[in-house]
């Protein structure tokens, strides 16, 4: 029995040509960029999740959940997170 080789670049291009797949891929990419941005803010400020939580007035698990599932966080919550990390004008960064 011979196996057909899969050209992953070709398969990816085929899949991304489908509107629904492209939209899902773009959404996931935006979410990943936002997660990375939150981590950069926190690291740049030299803060732990617990310290950010204290500054925001929430629990550390809340901050962990927000960082893991950032798309469920409200704009207000993201702004509070940014301010806790010392970002001066977070509303500009989030748009």
């Amino acid at each position: 029995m011979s196996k057909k080789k899969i050209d992953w670049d070709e398969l990816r291009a085929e899949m991304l040509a489908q509107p629904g797949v492209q939209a899902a891929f773009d959404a996931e990419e935006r979410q990943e960029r936002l997660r990375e941005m939150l981590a950069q803010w926190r690291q740049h400020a030299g803060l732990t999740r617990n310290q950010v939580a204290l500054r925001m007035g929430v629990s550390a698990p809340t901050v962990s959940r927000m960082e893991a599932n950032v798309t469920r966080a409200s704009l207000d919550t993201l702004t509070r997170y940014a301010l806790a990390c010392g970002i001066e004008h977070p509303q500009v960064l989030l748009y």
Side-chain angles (χ1 to χ4, degrees), residues 1-88:
M1 176 164 88
S2 71
K3 294 183 180 181
K4 182 180 176 186
K5 290 186 180 181
I6 296 173
D7 182 330
W8 291 109
D9 291 332
E10 188 177 310
L11 178 61
R12 181 178 188 266
E14 257 180 59
M15 295 300 293
L16 291 176
Q18 300 174 27
V21 173
Q22 181 65 54
F25 181 83
D26 291 345
E28 185 61 35
E29 192 173 59
R30 282 190 304 276
Q31 184 175 350
E32 182 58 32
R33 282 196 318 263
L34 188 51
R35 275 194 298 264
E36 288 172 7
M37 186 172 61
L38 294 181
Q40 288 173 356
W41 288 349
R42 189 167 50 77
Q43 290 167 359
H44 180 72
L47 299 171
T48 65
R49 287 183 181 103
N50 193 50
Q51 290 169 318
V52 171
L54 288 172
R55 290 180 178 199
M56 291 178 67
V58 299
S59 69
T62 298
V63 170
S64 292
R65 281 191 305 272
M66 184 186 76
E67 289 180 352
N69 195 0
V70 71
T71 57
R72 297 198 45 123
S74 70
L75 184 55
D76 179 60
T77 301
L78 292 172
T79 300
R80 288 177 40 227
Y81 182 99
L83 291 170
C85 292
I87 304 300
E88 293 186 18

